[in-house]
Amino acid sequence: MTSHYTRGASLSSEASREHIERALMDYGATDVCFSHDGSRSAIAFRADGRQFRLVVSLPEADGTGPSAGDTALGAARGAKAKDFERATRRVWYALTLAIDAKLGAAAAGIATLESEFLAHVVLPGNRTVFDEIEPIIESAYRSGRYSSLGGSPPSPTVDR
């Protein structure tokens, strides 16, 4: 059985953000900042000569709630608020685990920071690698054909 802690339900969102910031800075990242816009939050930082930005979608709070003063409906509103808060904590906790794993792989030399966060590298023009490549990948899957990034399709190789 999984405990609430291992699912991230008991760690506050703020504690997760603090952990992420501390882990990035311990790795050597600079200019770590968090932003929030509606149901999306972003983490941006600089490290190893690159800029990175991770954007996560957070649960949306149900804006249509019971009217004030109705005790039965007020309890329902409280339950929804707790569910929303718990879901938000889980997202931040999962992101904490993912970032810890990526930083751990880079620190151990298993991968580079850039390879671990490649989709999140910010390119000139303020778009990420993922922003640029997602339409190409989608097109390739829709058409069933290789979609080049400017070169020719890779030739098959045989490892010996």
Side-chain angles (χ1 to χ4, degrees):
M1 181 170 184
T2 306
S3 74
H4 287 292
Y5 179 77
T6 58
R7 291 192 318 254
S10 65
L11 191 62
S12 74
S13 298
E14 184 60 34
S16 290
R17 285 190 297 272
E18 288 173 5
H19 177 91
I20 290 168
E21 181 175 18
R22 190 171 46 255
L24 287 167
M25 292 177 74
D26 287 349
Y27 182 84
T30 61
D31 302 328
V32 177
C33 66
F34 293 85
S35 63
H36 184 77
D37 182 22
S39 65
R40 294 170 24 121
S41 283
I43 304 161
F45 62 95
R46 293 178 191 269
D48 291 352
R50 301 280 187 254
Q51 294 179 335
F52 300 88
R53 182 177 58 241
L54 290 84
V55 178
V56 293
S57 294
L58 299 173
E60 292 192 37
D62 184 0
T64 60
S67 60
D70 189 329
T71 10
L73 292 176
R77 181 186 302 158
K80 281 185 180 183
K82 283 184 181 183
D83 289 344
F84 169 72
E85 183 180 330
R86 188 175 299 121
T88 301
R89 286 193 312 251
R90 284 188 182 128
V91 169
W92 280 106
Y93 181 71
L95 185 60
T96 299
L97 293 175
I99 288 174
D100 278 348
K102 290 174 180 299
L103 293 174
I110 295 169
T112 64
L113 188 72
E114 189 171 33
S115 69
E116 283 298 308
F117 287 95
L118 183 61
H120 309 287
V121 172
V122 179
L123 300 168
N126 204 30
R127 289 175 48 90
T128 64
V129 169
F130 183 74
D131 293 337
E132 292 292 322
I133 194 116
E134 181 185 31
I136 296 168
I137 294 169
E138 186 62 33
S139 173
Y141 274 95
R142 264 196 325 272
S143 70
R145 294 183 304 185
Y146 177 79
S147 187
S148 175
L149 297 175
S152 57
S155 57
T157 59
V158 177
D159 291 335
R160 294 190 189 245

Short mmCIF file of all heavy atoms in Angstrom, two decimals, residues 98-160:
data_model
loop_
_atom_site.label_atom_id
_atom_site.label_comp_id
_atom_site.label_asym_id
_atom_site.label_seq_id
_atom_site.Cartn_x
_atom_site.Cartn_y
_atom_site.Cartn_z
N ALA A 98 11.07 14.23 -10.61
CA ALA A 98 11.61 14.23 -11.98
C ALA A 98 12.89 15.07 -12.06
O ALA A 98 13.89 14.64 -12.65
CB ALA A 98 10.56 14.75 -12.96
N ILE A 99 12.86 16.24 -11.47
CA ILE A 99 14.05 17.12 -11.52
C ILE A 99 15.19 16.50 -10.73
O ILE A 99 16.34 16.53 -11.18
CB ILE A 99 13.69 18.54 -11.04
CG1 ILE A 99 12.82 19.22 -12.11
CG2 ILE A 99 14.95 19.35 -10.74
CD1 ILE A 99 12.27 20.57 -11.72
N ASP A 100 14.90 15.93 -9.57
CA ASP A 100 15.95 15.26 -8.80
C ASP A 100 16.60 14.15 -9.61
O ASP A 100 17.82 13.99 -9.61
CB ASP A 100 15.39 14.67 -7.50
CG ASP A 100 15.26 15.69 -6.39
OD1 ASP A 100 15.81 16.81 -6.51
OD2 ASP A 100 14.61 15.36 -5.37
N ALA A 101 15.79 13.36 -10.33
CA ALA A 101 16.33 12.27 -11.13
C ALA A 101 17.21 12.81 -12.26
O ALA A 101 18.29 12.27 -12.53
CB ALA A 101 15.19 11.42 -11.69
N LYS A 102 16.77 13.86 -12.93
CA LYS A 102 17.55 14.44 -14.02
C LYS A 102 18.87 15.01 -13.51
O LYS A 102 19.92 14.79 -14.11
CB LYS A 102 16.73 15.53 -14.72
CG LYS A 102 15.56 14.99 -15.53
CD LYS A 102 14.72 16.14 -16.06
CE LYS A 102 13.55 15.68 -16.86
NZ LYS A 102 13.90 14.91 -18.05
N LEU A 103 18.81 15.74 -12.41
CA LEU A 103 20.04 16.31 -11.85
C LEU A 103 20.96 15.21 -11.36
O LEU A 103 22.19 15.31 -11.50
CB LEU A 103 19.70 17.28 -10.71
CG LEU A 103 18.97 18.56 -11.11
CD1 LEU A 103 18.58 19.36 -9.87
CD2 LEU A 103 19.81 19.40 -12.06
N GLY A 104 20.39 14.15 -10.78
CA GLY A 104 21.21 13.03 -10.32
C GLY A 104 21.92 12.34 -11.47
O GLY A 104 23.10 11.99 -11.36
N ALA A 105 21.23 12.14 -12.57
CA ALA A 105 21.84 11.51 -13.75
C ALA A 105 22.96 12.38 -14.30
O ALA A 105 24.04 11.88 -14.66
CB ALA A 105 20.79 11.25 -14.82
N ALA A 106 22.74 13.69 -14.34
CA ALA A 106 23.77 14.61 -14.83
C ALA A 106 24.97 14.64 -13.88
O ALA A 106 26.12 14.60 -14.32
CB ALA A 106 23.20 16.00 -15.03
N ALA A 107 24.71 14.68 -12.59
CA ALA A 107 25.79 14.74 -11.61
C ALA A 107 26.63 13.47 -11.61
O ALA A 107 27.84 13.50 -11.40
CB ALA A 107 25.23 15.00 -10.21
N ALA A 108 25.99 12.32 -11.91
CA ALA A 108 26.69 11.04 -11.93
C ALA A 108 27.42 10.80 -13.25
O ALA A 108 28.14 9.81 -13.38
CB ALA A 108 25.71 9.91 -11.66
N GLY A 109 27.21 11.67 -14.23
CA GLY A 109 27.86 11.49 -15.51
C GLY A 109 27.15 10.51 -16.43
O GLY A 109 27.66 10.12 -17.47
N ILE A 110 25.97 10.08 -16.04
CA ILE A 110 25.17 9.17 -16.87
C ILE A 110 24.66 9.91 -18.09
O ILE A 110 24.51 9.34 -19.17
CB ILE A 110 24.00 8.59 -16.05
CG1 ILE A 110 24.54 7.73 -14.92
CG2 ILE A 110 23.02 7.83 -16.92
CD1 ILE A 110 23.50 7.33 -13.89
N ALA A 111 24.40 11.18 -17.92
CA ALA A 111 23.88 12.03 -18.99
C ALA A 111 24.40 13.44 -18.74
O ALA A 111 24.99 13.72 -17.71
CB ALA A 111 22.35 12.02 -18.98
N THR A 112 24.14 14.32 -19.70
CA THR A 112 24.47 15.72 -19.48
C THR A 112 23.20 16.44 -19.04
O THR A 112 22.09 15.94 -19.27
CB THR A 112 24.99 16.39 -20.76
OG1 THR A 112 23.95 16.38 -21.74
CG2 THR A 112 26.23 15.67 -21.29
N LEU A 113 23.38 17.58 -18.44
CA LEU A 113 22.21 18.37 -18.05
C LEU A 113 21.38 18.71 -19.28
O LEU A 113 20.15 18.62 -19.27
CB LEU A 113 22.64 19.65 -17.33
CG LEU A 113 21.51 20.45 -16.72
CD1 LEU A 113 20.95 19.74 -15.49
CD2 LEU A 113 21.97 21.83 -16.34
N GLU A 114 22.07 19.07 -20.39
CA GLU A 114 21.36 19.43 -21.60
C GLU A 114 20.58 18.25 -22.17
O GLU A 114 19.44 18.42 -22.61
CB GLU A 114 22.32 19.97 -22.65
CG GLU A 114 21.60 20.56 -23.84
CD GLU A 114 22.53 21.29 -24.78
OE1 GLU A 114 23.71 20.89 -24.92
OE2 GLU A 114 22.07 22.28 -25.37
N SER A 115 21.13 17.03 -22.13
CA SER A 115 20.38 15.89 -22.65
C SER A 115 19.18 15.56 -21.76
O SER A 115 18.12 15.18 -22.25
CB SER A 115 21.28 14.66 -22.84
OG SER A 115 21.69 14.13 -21.59
N GLU A 116 19.33 15.71 -20.47
CA GLU A 116 18.23 15.43 -19.54
C GLU A 116 17.09 16.45 -19.67
O GLU A 116 15.94 16.10 -19.51
CB GLU A 116 18.74 15.39 -18.10
CG GLU A 116 19.47 14.12 -17.76
CD GLU A 116 18.59 12.89 -17.87
OE1 GLU A 116 17.49 12.87 -17.28
OE2 GLU A 116 19.01 11.94 -18.56
N PHE A 117 17.44 17.68 -19.94
CA PHE A 117 16.43 18.74 -20.03
C PHE A 117 16.30 19.26 -21.47
O PHE A 117 15.86 20.39 -21.68
CB PHE A 117 16.82 19.92 -19.12
CG PHE A 117 16.64 19.67 -17.65
CD1 PHE A 117 17.70 19.23 -16.87
CD2 PHE A 117 15.40 19.86 -17.04
CE1 PHE A 117 17.54 19.01 -15.51
CE2 PHE A 117 15.24 19.64 -15.69
CZ PHE A 117 16.30 19.20 -14.92
N LEU A 118 16.66 18.45 -22.46
CA LEU A 118 16.72 18.92 -23.85
C LEU A 118 15.43 19.58 -24.31
O LEU A 118 15.45 20.63 -24.94
CB LEU A 118 17.08 17.77 -24.79
CG LEU A 118 17.25 18.16 -26.25
CD1 LEU A 118 18.37 19.19 -26.42
CD2 LEU A 118 17.52 16.94 -27.10
N ALA A 119 14.30 18.99 -24.03
CA ALA A 119 13.02 19.57 -24.47
C ALA A 119 12.79 20.95 -23.88
O ALA A 119 12.04 21.75 -24.43
CB ALA A 119 11.87 18.65 -24.08
N HIS A 120 13.46 21.25 -22.78
CA HIS A 120 13.22 22.50 -22.05
C HIS A 120 14.30 23.56 -22.29
O HIS A 120 14.28 24.61 -21.65
CB HIS A 120 13.09 22.19 -20.56
CG HIS A 120 12.12 21.10 -20.28
ND1 HIS A 120 10.76 21.26 -20.39
CD2 HIS A 120 12.31 19.80 -19.94
CE1 HIS A 120 10.16 20.12 -20.11
NE2 HIS A 120 11.07 19.22 -19.85
N VAL A 121 15.25 23.28 -23.18
CA VAL A 121 16.27 24.27 -23.51
C VAL A 121 15.58 25.42 -24.24
O VAL A 121 14.81 25.21 -25.18
CB VAL A 121 17.38 23.67 -24.40
CG1 VAL A 121 18.33 24.77 -24.90
CG2 VAL A 121 18.15 22.60 -23.65
N VAL A 122 15.84 26.64 -23.79
CA VAL A 122 15.25 27.82 -24.42
C VAL A 122 16.17 28.27 -25.55
O VAL A 122 17.36 28.51 -25.35
CB VAL A 122 15.05 28.96 -23.40
CG1 VAL A 122 14.46 30.19 -24.07
CG2 VAL A 122 14.16 28.49 -22.24
N LEU A 123 15.60 28.36 -26.74
CA LEU A 123 16.33 28.77 -27.93
C LEU A 123 16.20 30.28 -28.14
O LEU A 123 15.32 30.91 -27.55
CB LEU A 123 15.76 28.03 -29.15
CG LEU A 123 15.84 26.51 -29.09
CD1 LEU A 123 15.00 25.90 -30.20
CD2 LEU A 123 17.28 26.06 -29.17
N PRO A 124 17.05 30.86 -28.99
CA PRO A 124 16.85 32.26 -29.34
C PRO A 124 15.41 32.43 -29.88
O PRO A 124 14.92 31.57 -30.60
CB PRO A 124 17.88 32.51 -30.44
CG PRO A 124 18.95 31.50 -30.15
CD PRO A 124 18.23 30.28 -29.64
N GLY A 125 14.76 33.48 -29.49
CA GLY A 125 13.36 33.67 -29.85
C GLY A 125 12.42 33.25 -28.72
O GLY A 125 11.20 33.33 -28.85
N ASN A 126 13.00 32.73 -27.61
CA ASN A 126 12.26 32.39 -26.40
C ASN A 126 11.34 31.18 -26.53
O ASN A 126 10.40 31.03 -25.78
CB ASN A 126 11.47 33.60 -25.88
CG ASN A 126 11.18 33.48 -24.39
OD1 ASN A 126 11.96 32.87 -23.65
ND2 ASN A 126 10.07 34.03 -23.95
N ARG A 127 11.59 30.33 -27.53
CA ARG A 127 10.84 29.08 -27.65
C ARG A 127 11.74 27.94 -27.20
O ARG A 127 12.95 28.01 -27.35
CB ARG A 127 10.37 28.86 -29.09
CG ARG A 127 9.26 29.85 -29.47
CD ARG A 127 8.85 29.74 -30.92
NE ARG A 127 8.57 28.42 -31.43
CZ ARG A 127 7.36 27.81 -31.41
NH1 ARG A 127 6.33 28.45 -30.89
NH2 ARG A 127 7.20 26.60 -31.91
N THR A 128 11.12 26.88 -26.66
CA THR A 128 11.91 25.73 -26.23
C THR A 128 12.12 24.77 -27.40
O THR A 128 11.43 24.85 -28.42
CB THR A 128 11.23 24.98 -25.08
OG1 THR A 128 9.99 24.44 -25.56
CG2 THR A 128 11.00 25.89 -23.87
N VAL A 129 13.05 23.86 -27.22
CA VAL A 129 13.29 22.81 -28.22
C VAL A 129 11.98 22.06 -28.47
O VAL A 129 11.62 21.78 -29.61
CB VAL A 129 14.41 21.86 -27.77
CG1 VAL A 129 14.48 20.62 -28.65
CG2 VAL A 129 15.75 22.59 -27.74
N PHE A 130 11.25 21.75 -27.41
CA PHE A 130 9.98 21.04 -27.57
C PHE A 130 8.99 21.86 -28.40
O PHE A 130 8.31 21.31 -29.26
CB PHE A 130 9.36 20.69 -26.22
CG PHE A 130 8.08 19.91 -26.36
CD1 PHE A 130 8.11 18.58 -26.73
CD2 PHE A 130 6.86 20.52 -26.14
CE1 PHE A 130 6.94 17.86 -26.87
CE2 PHE A 130 5.69 19.81 -26.28
CZ PHE A 130 5.72 18.47 -26.65
N ASP A 131 8.90 23.16 -28.15
CA ASP A 131 8.00 24.02 -28.94
C ASP A 131 8.33 23.90 -30.43
O ASP A 131 7.42 23.90 -31.27
CB ASP A 131 8.14 25.48 -28.53
CG ASP A 131 7.65 25.77 -27.12
OD1 ASP A 131 6.84 25.00 -26.59
OD2 ASP A 131 8.12 26.78 -26.54
N GLU A 132 9.61 23.83 -30.76
CA GLU A 132 10.04 23.78 -32.15
C GLU A 132 9.83 22.41 -32.78
O GLU A 132 9.47 22.30 -33.94
CB GLU A 132 11.53 24.16 -32.25
CG GLU A 132 11.81 25.60 -31.93
CD GLU A 132 11.24 26.56 -32.96
OE1 GLU A 132 11.28 26.25 -34.16
OE2 GLU A 132 10.75 27.63 -32.55
N ILE A 133 10.07 21.35 -32.02
CA ILE A 133 10.08 20.01 -32.61
C ILE A 133 8.72 19.31 -32.54
O ILE A 133 8.47 18.40 -33.34
CB ILE A 133 11.18 19.15 -31.97
CG1 ILE A 133 11.45 17.90 -32.78
CG2 ILE A 133 10.82 18.71 -30.59
CD1 ILE A 133 12.80 17.85 -33.35
N GLU A 134 7.86 19.71 -31.64
CA GLU A 134 6.56 19.02 -31.50
C GLU A 134 5.77 18.97 -32.81
O GLU A 134 5.27 17.89 -33.18
CB GLU A 134 5.72 19.66 -30.39
CG GLU A 134 4.39 18.96 -30.21
CD GLU A 134 3.49 19.65 -29.21
OE1 GLU A 134 3.57 20.89 -29.07
OE2 GLU A 134 2.71 18.94 -28.57
N PRO A 135 5.64 20.07 -33.56
CA PRO A 135 4.88 19.98 -34.82
C PRO A 135 5.53 19.04 -35.84
O PRO A 135 4.83 18.39 -36.61
CB PRO A 135 4.87 21.42 -35.36
CG PRO A 135 5.33 22.29 -34.25
CD PRO A 135 6.08 21.44 -33.29
N ILE A 136 6.85 18.95 -35.83
CA ILE A 136 7.55 18.06 -36.75
C ILE A 136 7.26 16.60 -36.40
O ILE A 136 6.98 15.78 -37.27
CB ILE A 136 9.06 18.36 -36.75
CG1 ILE A 136 9.30 19.77 -37.27
CG2 ILE A 136 9.83 17.32 -37.55
CD1 ILE A 136 10.71 20.28 -37.06
N ILE A 137 7.30 16.29 -35.12
CA ILE A 137 7.00 14.93 -34.67
C ILE A 137 5.55 14.58 -34.99
O ILE A 137 5.27 13.50 -35.51
CB ILE A 137 7.28 14.80 -33.15
CG1 ILE A 137 8.77 14.96 -32.87
CG2 ILE A 137 6.75 13.46 -32.62
CD1 ILE A 137 9.11 15.10 -31.40
N GLU A 138 4.64 15.48 -34.68
CA GLU A 138 3.22 15.25 -34.95
C GLU A 138 2.99 15.01 -36.44
O GLU A 138 2.26 14.08 -36.82
CB GLU A 138 2.40 16.44 -34.47
CG GLU A 138 0.90 16.26 -34.57
CD GLU A 138 0.38 15.11 -33.73
OE1 GLU A 138 0.93 14.85 -32.65
OE2 GLU A 138 -0.59 14.46 -34.19
N SER A 139 3.61 15.80 -37.28
CA SER A 139 3.46 15.65 -38.73
C SER A 139 4.00 14.30 -39.20
O SER A 139 3.40 13.63 -40.05
CB SER A 139 4.19 16.80 -39.43
OG SER A 139 4.20 16.59 -40.82
N ALA A 140 5.14 13.90 -38.67
CA ALA A 140 5.74 12.62 -39.06
C ALA A 140 4.83 11.46 -38.70
O ALA A 140 4.63 10.53 -39.48
CB ALA A 140 7.10 12.46 -38.40
N TYR A 141 4.22 11.50 -37.52
CA TYR A 141 3.31 10.42 -37.12
C TYR A 141 2.02 10.44 -37.93
O TYR A 141 1.49 9.38 -38.28
CB TYR A 141 3.00 10.50 -35.62
CG TYR A 141 4.04 9.78 -34.79
CD1 TYR A 141 5.11 10.47 -34.24
CD2 TYR A 141 3.97 8.41 -34.60
CE1 TYR A 141 6.07 9.82 -33.48
CE2 TYR A 141 4.93 7.74 -33.86
CZ TYR A 141 5.98 8.45 -33.30
OH TYR A 141 6.93 7.79 -32.58
N ARG A 142 1.52 11.62 -38.23
CA ARG A 142 0.29 11.71 -39.04
C ARG A 142 0.52 11.20 -40.46
O ARG A 142 -0.29 10.47 -41.01
CB ARG A 142 -0.21 13.16 -39.10
CG ARG A 142 -1.28 13.49 -38.10
CD ARG A 142 -2.03 14.79 -38.42
NE ARG A 142 -1.24 15.84 -39.02
CZ ARG A 142 -0.55 16.77 -38.35
NH1 ARG A 142 -0.56 16.75 -37.05
NH2 ARG A 142 0.14 17.69 -38.98
N SER A 143 1.64 11.58 -41.05
CA SER A 143 1.91 11.22 -42.44
C SER A 143 2.56 9.85 -42.58
O SER A 143 2.53 9.26 -43.65
CB SER A 143 2.81 12.28 -43.09
OG SER A 143 4.12 12.21 -42.55
N GLY A 144 3.18 9.37 -41.51
CA GLY A 144 3.89 8.11 -41.59
C GLY A 144 5.23 8.24 -42.30
O GLY A 144 5.85 7.24 -42.64
N ARG A 145 5.67 9.47 -42.51
CA ARG A 145 6.93 9.71 -43.20
C ARG A 145 7.88 10.47 -42.29
O ARG A 145 7.46 11.30 -41.49
CB ARG A 145 6.71 10.52 -44.48
CG ARG A 145 5.93 9.75 -45.53
CD ARG A 145 5.79 10.54 -46.77
NE ARG A 145 5.17 11.83 -46.41
CZ ARG A 145 4.81 12.75 -47.27
NH1 ARG A 145 5.00 12.56 -48.55
NH2 ARG A 145 4.25 13.87 -46.88
N TYR A 146 9.16 10.22 -42.51
CA TYR A 146 10.19 10.92 -41.78
C TYR A 146 10.15 12.40 -42.15
O TYR A 146 10.08 12.75 -43.31
CB TYR A 146 11.57 10.33 -42.11
CG TYR A 146 12.70 11.05 -41.43
CD1 TYR A 146 12.99 10.81 -40.10
CD2 TYR A 146 13.47 11.99 -42.10
CE1 TYR A 146 14.02 11.46 -39.46
CE2 TYR A 146 14.51 12.65 -41.48
CZ TYR A 146 14.78 12.39 -40.15
OH TYR A 146 15.80 13.05 -39.52
N SER A 147 10.16 13.23 -41.15
CA SER A 147 10.15 14.66 -41.38
C SER A 147 11.50 15.21 -40.96
O SER A 147 11.85 15.17 -39.80
CB SER A 147 9.02 15.30 -40.58
OG SER A 147 8.88 16.64 -40.91
N SER A 148 12.25 15.71 -41.90
CA SER A 148 13.61 16.15 -41.67
C SER A 148 13.69 17.45 -40.89
O SER A 148 12.82 18.31 -41.00
CB SER A 148 14.31 16.33 -43.02
OG SER A 148 15.60 16.86 -42.82
N LEU A 149 14.75 17.56 -40.13
CA LEU A 149 15.04 18.80 -39.42
C LEU A 149 16.04 19.63 -40.19
O LEU A 149 16.72 20.47 -39.64
CB LEU A 149 15.58 18.49 -38.01
CG LEU A 149 14.65 17.76 -37.07
CD1 LEU A 149 15.37 17.43 -35.77
CD2 LEU A 149 13.43 18.60 -36.80
N GLY A 150 16.15 19.39 -41.48
CA GLY A 150 17.09 20.15 -42.29
C GLY A 150 18.11 19.27 -42.95
O GLY A 150 18.81 19.69 -43.86
N GLY A 151 18.22 18.03 -42.52
CA GLY A 151 19.17 17.09 -43.13
C GLY A 151 18.40 15.99 -43.85
O GLY A 151 17.19 16.05 -44.02
N SER A 152 19.13 15.00 -44.29
CA SER A 152 18.48 13.87 -44.96
C SER A 152 18.12 12.82 -43.92
O SER A 152 18.68 12.81 -42.83
CB SER A 152 19.41 13.30 -46.02
OG SER A 152 20.63 12.92 -45.41
N PRO A 153 17.20 11.92 -44.27
CA PRO A 153 16.81 10.89 -43.31
C PRO A 153 18.03 10.05 -42.92
O PRO A 153 18.92 9.87 -43.75
CB PRO A 153 15.78 10.05 -44.07
CG PRO A 153 15.37 10.85 -45.24
CD PRO A 153 16.46 11.82 -45.52
N PRO A 154 18.03 9.56 -41.72
CA PRO A 154 19.19 8.76 -41.29
C PRO A 154 19.24 7.46 -42.08
O PRO A 154 18.21 6.88 -42.40
CB PRO A 154 18.92 8.50 -39.80
CG PRO A 154 17.46 8.70 -39.63
CD PRO A 154 17.04 9.69 -40.68
N SER A 155 20.46 7.03 -42.40
CA SER A 155 20.60 5.76 -43.11
C SER A 155 20.70 4.67 -42.06
O SER A 155 21.26 4.88 -40.98
CB SER A 155 21.83 5.78 -43.99
OG SER A 155 22.97 6.06 -43.21
N PRO A 156 20.16 3.49 -42.38
CA PRO A 156 20.23 2.39 -41.41
C PRO A 156 21.69 2.01 -41.16
O PRO A 156 22.50 1.98 -42.08
CB PRO A 156 19.47 1.24 -42.07
CG PRO A 156 18.94 1.77 -43.35
CD PRO A 156 19.49 3.12 -43.59
N THR A 157 22.00 1.75 -39.93
CA THR A 157 23.35 1.33 -39.58
C THR A 157 23.29 0.00 -38.87
O THR A 157 22.28 -0.35 -38.26
CB THR A 157 24.06 2.34 -38.66
OG1 THR A 157 23.29 2.48 -37.48
CG2 THR A 157 24.20 3.69 -39.34
N VAL A 158 24.36 -0.73 -38.97
CA VAL A 158 24.45 -2.03 -38.31
C VAL A 158 25.59 -1.93 -37.31
O VAL A 158 26.72 -1.61 -37.67
CB VAL A 158 24.72 -3.16 -39.33
CG1 VAL A 158 24.87 -4.49 -38.63
CG2 VAL A 158 23.62 -3.19 -40.37
N ASP A 159 25.27 -2.22 -36.08
CA ASP A 159 26.31 -2.24 -35.04
C ASP A 159 26.99 -3.59 -35.05
O ASP A 159 26.32 -4.63 -35.09
CB ASP A 159 25.72 -1.98 -33.65
CG ASP A 159 25.21 -0.56 -33.50
OD1 ASP A 159 25.72 0.32 -34.23
OD2 ASP A 159 24.32 -0.35 -32.67
N ARG A 160 28.27 -3.59 -35.05
CA ARG A 160 29.03 -4.87 -35.02
C ARG A 160 29.93 -4.90 -33.83
O ARG A 160 30.45 -4.01 -33.37
CB ARG A 160 29.82 -5.03 -36.29
CG ARG A 160 28.89 -5.18 -37.45
CD ARG A 160 29.67 -5.58 -38.69
NE ARG A 160 28.79 -5.50 -39.81
CZ ARG A 160 28.43 -6.55 -40.50
NH1 ARG A 160 28.86 -7.73 -40.18
NH2 ARG A 160 27.64 -6.42 -41.53
#
